[in-house]
Amino acid sequence: MDINEVKLLWNRVKEELEANLPEHIFGTWITPLEAVDFENDTLVLLSPHPMAVDILKKNWTNDIKASIKTVLGDNATFSLTYDVDFADRYIKARKKELSKIVAGQTEEERKSEDAKISLAQMQSSANLNLNLKFDNFVVGENSKFAYNAAFSVANNPSKKFNPLFLYGASGLGKTHLMQAIGHYIIFNNPNLKVRYIRMEEYFNEWVRCFQYNDMPNGKKRQSCNNSLMRKFHQKFQNVDILLMDDIQFIESKMKTMEDFFSTFEALYTNNKQIVIASDRLPKDIPTLDNRLRTRFEMGLVVDIVPPDYDTRFEIVKAYAKELEVDAEDDVFEYIADNFVNNVRELKGAFNKVSAYAEFSGTGVTLELAKRALNCEAKKKEITIDMIAQKTAKYFGVTVKDLKSTARQQKISHTRHIAVYIAREVLQMSYESIGEFFDKKHTTIMYSCDLIADKIKADDDLRIIIEEIKLSLRG
């Protein structure tokens, strides 16, 4: 199909999307997309922002498909990918567009527009999420110290608190604060270069710097591509602020630790700011190189704990406002009272309630929230004691064994599974699970991570866990 026809079709689809999507979603993620083809009933879309692909596919796929079907027919669908060349063209076009109005702007307005350009550039290179800023982070007693430390670093990068090490369970706001630092620095110090990355992505990029060469005996030998490795090091060492998330992923990866140590040293020696996030303290990351551990600990180490009731209430209320969903305070109170572990489960609960309301064509009420979440019934049905009993019985051990210090393989394996199921089914905090099993919360975190990794490759283990879950439901 002719490209001009494709663009016309996309404009019609965008009109439909604009009418059905929240304004901030449409403006931030849909508007920059470009349609490049329509073949075999598939509308091919490109994005200049890598984060847009994940956000739209995860949260808005059904809405996009519905709009496409309305315009292009029931068999129509779409594909969405991030394209580097398109990202470069998009940024250049934005600069050209903005330059036309710069002459008539005040210095403050010009600064704002320059920051927008810088932010667009960061979107294409560092995956900063536009929604994760200081102004929409709900500060509670659980996160006040971490928020103040992050804001201090954003205002005075590399002056103090270097490195800043944030730790706490998943879903408590570590990534939000890290990315808020990045946004704040880009806006207020556009000459500074910021890069955000998760350790898993760092590791994968590092692995791609190696190649396998054929040997005469038919085997393959791994060797480093020096050119790729130089580019890799330039990418992470030629920055002013490095935001490294999920550092715990580095454990047991000895060569990657050596490489990251050199990156850390290069940045720190040159007075560059380093911010690190982890689900545990440096000393609680097994096999972490001692040189890295001591360097992580020489700055400021700050924890974030699960939010209290008042903070949970404010988080849900703020999230409803962000989604532009009307609800009474009793709905927020109900969710805050029943979901106590982290921010993600609070948002997930509200998403489920708002989806129920949308599908049923009613407003978001307390009665609907109770039907959708069914918290009372779940609390009555399953307890951590029941999970421990069912899991122990399945493997032929006792609950007393699970709570003991015994390290026999059978008992420790059973304990790992019981802990994992308790965390997944009841959404309890690591601390609460640890209290039941008489174990430290770091031990509980290790059990959850261990089983989560194992079930990815072990179908038998996954089936066992599902069987135990079924027995819990009767």
Side-chain angles (χ1 to χ4, degrees), residues 281-301:
L281 282 164
K283 67 182 181 64
D284 292 326
I285 301 176
T287 72
L288 180 66
D289 186 290
N290 192 55
R291 296 176 303 169
L292 283 175
R293 181 185 62 77
T294 55
R295 280 159 177 77
F296 292 167
E297 293 174 339
M298 71 183 178
L300 178 64
V301 179

Side-chain angles (χ1 to χ4, degrees), residues 376-410:
E376 289 75 11
K378 289 178 180 177
K379 286 179 180 177
K380 292 176 183 177
E381 288 175 2
I382 301 174
T383 64
I384 188 170
D385 184 64
M386 185 186 299
I387 290 173
Q389 290 182 32
K390 293 283 187 181
T391 309
K393 182 178 180 181
Y394 189 97
F395 287 97
V397 298
T398 66
V399 174
K400 185 178 180 180
D401 290 331
L402 301 186
K403 291 185 175 184
S404 71
T405 58
R407 297 193 176 187
Q408 292 96 319
Q409 184 177 2
K410 184 177 183 180

Side-chain angles (χ1 to χ4, degrees), residues 298-315:
M298 71 183 178
L300 178 64
V301 179
V302 183
D303 68 328
I304 306 180
V305 299
D308 59 21
Y309 172 83
D310 290 337
T311 306
R312 296 197 300 272
F313 175 87
E314 293 300 330
I315 288 171

Side-chain angles (χ1 to χ4, degrees), residues 405-425:
T405 58
R407 297 193 176 187
Q408 292 96 319
Q409 184 177 2
K410 184 177 183 180
I411 293 175
S412 61
H413 180 63
T414 306
R415 186 188 299 123
H416 291 323
I417 292 175
V419 164
Y420 175 83
I421 294 175
R423 175 71 175 169
E424 189 178 56
V425 173

Side-chain angles (χ1 to χ4, degrees), residues 25 28 173 202 271 305 380:
I25 295 296
T28 303
Y202 182 96
N271 202 32
V305 299
K380 292 176 183 177

